[in-house]
Amino acid sequence: MTATHNDIKKICFFCSQPIEGKKTLEHIIPNSLLGKLGIKEEELKGEGAFQYSRIKVPAHSSCNSGFGSEYENKIIELLDNPKQLYVDLKNEESGISMRYGPDESFTMLISTWLSKIYYGLFYNDYLKLGESEFTKSAKNIIESDNFKMVQEAYQDGVGFCIPSSLYVFTSKNESFDLRTMIYPQTILMKVKSLTMILCIGDGFLTKNYLNNGILKDYRDFLALEEKKEQRFPVHLYGLAEITSLRMHIPKEPSFIYSKQEKVIINMSLTTGVSDPDEYYKVDEVSIIKKRDEILKEFGVIIE
């Protein structure tokens, strides 16, 4: 049976279980952070226009407070020093884990938080906007197998996300920005000098291509371009490059959730082909072309 708006309003965003007692409304972006950034009354414009402070989803009181104390309180503190957080996240970039469960790393905290915001934004849109092609897409996201796995894992204390490639960039521009993409499922959040980009549920496939020396060279390129032109949109170039790459990776992510072990096992990087480097090669020319198309959609003029 297909869930309706009324059905979804009565279940918890975090754990997917019915809300029978007291219902709370979870702020997708914490009010305290919005206050610090001075954007409480500003609007997130997309298919609908919602003040940041009014983007909320239904949740159990216990799930709401549990997520706040486990993740958001720590993250708000970390975001008080975005330059240090950038360094800390960069220091954790090497290595890809096949068994994905909760830990105390900066990467896990940020990935979990950004996943919650991504799914929460589409949850909010589906509940509050009229029926359209966009809300059909929003419903597909919040009823996807990936999100159901996230909710099941949350019930077992395994965070609120699945293996996702996290990227960070830094820039001199300190304006706030928040963007999401339906395909590939991606979220960008820019807080002061720090840009965080998460490829939702990609099984670290993107990280497997864009990492180490290649990533360093790309960051150096962005820094050089910003030095030439102060208004150079580092965060949008980062988002366009990453999403274009993700679109061109000839492989789909795959996960298994072990309820007994309380871990998500990432099967995305396993392969049976004899020459994976050749078989899964990406088309660099096509990536650049698509990247430029995405930048134009963002209103960035390519010279």
Side-chain angles (χ1 to χ4, degrees), residues 80-136:
D80 279 339
N81 191 345
K83 291 182 180 179
Q84 182 59 49
L85 181 55
Y86 171 71
V87 172
D88 292 334
L89 289 168
K90 272 184 65 182
N91 287 340
E92 293 181 350
E93 284 179 342
S94 62
I96 296 175
S97 175
M98 299 299 289
R99 298 170 69 81
Y100 191 76
D103 59 45
E104 293 300 313
S105 68
F106 299 105
T107 301
M108 173 63 79
L109 287 170
I110 296 299
S111 297
T112 298
W113 186 57
L114 291 178
S115 293
K116 175 249 188 175
I117 293 172
Y118 181 84
Y119 286 118
L121 290 172
F122 286 102
Y123 212 98
N124 173 83
D125 286 348
Y126 175 68
L127 289 177
K128 296 178 182 177
L129 296 176
E131 187 173 341
S132 66
E133 287 304 311
F134 173 78
T135 50
K136 287 179 184 177

Side-chain angles (χ1 to χ4, degrees), residues 82-83 86 169-176 190-195 219 222-235:
K83 291 182 180 179
Y86 171 71
F169 300 93
T170 189
S171 63
K172 295 176 182 177
N173 181 345
E174 296 203 347
S175 61
F176 177 81
K190 185 175 179 299
V191 177
K192 296 183 179 178
S193 62
L194 176 66
T195 293
R219 284 189 176 123
L222 294 178
L224 183 61
E225 292 301 310
E226 186 181 36
K227 191 173 181 179
K228 294 178 188 174
E229 170 53 61
Q230 189 176 359
R231 294 175 296 177
F232 181 79
V234 169
H235 65 299

Side-chain angles (χ1 to χ4, degrees), residues 20-288:
E20 296 176 350
K22 182 181 178 182
K23 178 176 77 172
T24 61
L25 291 175
E26 158 70 0
H27 284 89
I28 292 306
I29 305 174
N31 251 340
S32 55
L33 177 60
L34 295 173
K36 286 183 178 184
L37 296 174
I39 59 170
K40 268 190 180 184
E41 307 308 317
E42 289 188 17
E43 289 185 341
L44 174 63
K45 293 183 173 62
E47 291 297 312
F50 297 101
Q51 287 183 350
Y52 285 113
S53 60
R54 295 180 182 271
I55 302 175
K56 305 175 185 178
V57 293
H60 289 119
S61 177
S62 57
C63 290
N64 192 337
S65 60
F67 190 91
S69 61
E70 185 73 18
Y71 297 99
E72 286 186 331
N73 294 343
K74 297 176 184 177
I75 287 160
I76 291 169
E77 184 177 344
L78 291 172
L79 288 172
D80 279 339
N81 191 345
K83 291 182 180 179
Q84 182 59 49
L85 181 55
Y86 171 71
V87 172
D88 292 334
L89 289 168
K90 272 184 65 182
N91 287 340
E92 293 181 350
E93 284 179 342
S94 62
I96 296 175
S97 175
M98 299 299 289
R99 298 170 69 81
Y100 191 76
D103 59 45
E104 293 300 313
S105 68
F106 299 105
T107 301
M108 173 63 79
L109 287 170
I110 296 299
S111 297
T112 298
W113 186 57
L114 291 178
S115 293
K116 175 249 188 175
I117 293 172
Y118 181 84
Y119 286 118
L121 290 172
F122 286 102
Y123 212 98
N124 173 83
D125 286 348
Y126 175 68
L127 289 177
K128 296 178 182 177
L129 296 176
E131 187 173 341
S132 66
E133 287 304 311
F134 173 78
T135 50
K136 287 179 184 177
S137 296
K139 189 177 184 186
N140 287 337
I141 289 172
I142 65 175
E143 291 192 340
S144 66
D145 290 340
N146 279 359
F147 186 50
K148 289 176 182 176
M149 183 182 293
V150 165
Q151 291 175 314
E152 183 179 3
Y154 185 76
Q155 294 176 42
D156 293 334
V158 190
F160 196 67
C161 60
I162 51 180
S164 306
S165 297
L166 176 65
Y167 291 94
V168 287
F169 300 93
T170 189
S171 63
K172 295 176 182 177
N173 181 345
E174 296 203 347
S175 61
F176 177 81
D177 202 354
L178 175 63
R179 297 177 186 244
T180 58
M181 297 186 71
I182 292 176
Y183 178 77
Q185 293 187 8
T186 312
I187 181 169
L188 173 150
M189 179 176 279
K190 185 175 179 299
V191 177
K192 296 183 179 178
S193 62
L194 176 66
T195 293
M196 302 166 284
I197 299 172
L198 190 70
C199 301
I200 306 287
D202 76 329
F204 302 127
L205 287 171
T206 315
K207 186 176 180 180
N208 195 42
Y209 284 81
L210 181 59
N211 59 18
N212 301 325
I214 300 173
L215 180 55
K216 180 185 180 302
D217 290 345
Y218 187 61
R219 284 189 176 123
D220 289 345
F221 160 75
L222 294 178
L224 183 61
E225 292 301 310
E226 186 181 36
K227 191 173 181 179
K228 294 178 188 174
E229 170 53 61
Q230 189 176 359
R231 294 175 296 177
F232 181 79
V234 169
H235 65 299
L236 296 182
Y237 265 80
L239 179 59
E241 184 76 26
I242 289 164
T243 52
S244 179
L245 169 61
R246 176 68 190 95
M247 289 177 182
H248 287 83
I249 296 174
K251 197 174 186 186
E252 291 300 318
S254 175
F255 313 105
I256 298 173
Y257 178 56
S258 172
K259 195 169 183 67
Q260 182 177 1
E261 298 180 58
K262 295 186 178 180
V263 294
I264 295 172
I265 301 172
N266 181 24
M267 307 294 291
S268 308
L269 300 175
T270 59
T271 180
V273 300
S274 57
D275 189 356
D277 288 341
E278 183 63 31
Y279 189 84
Y280 296 117
K281 183 185 291 185
V282 294
D283 185 339
E284 298 288 348
V285 174
S286 184
I287 288 173
I288 293 170

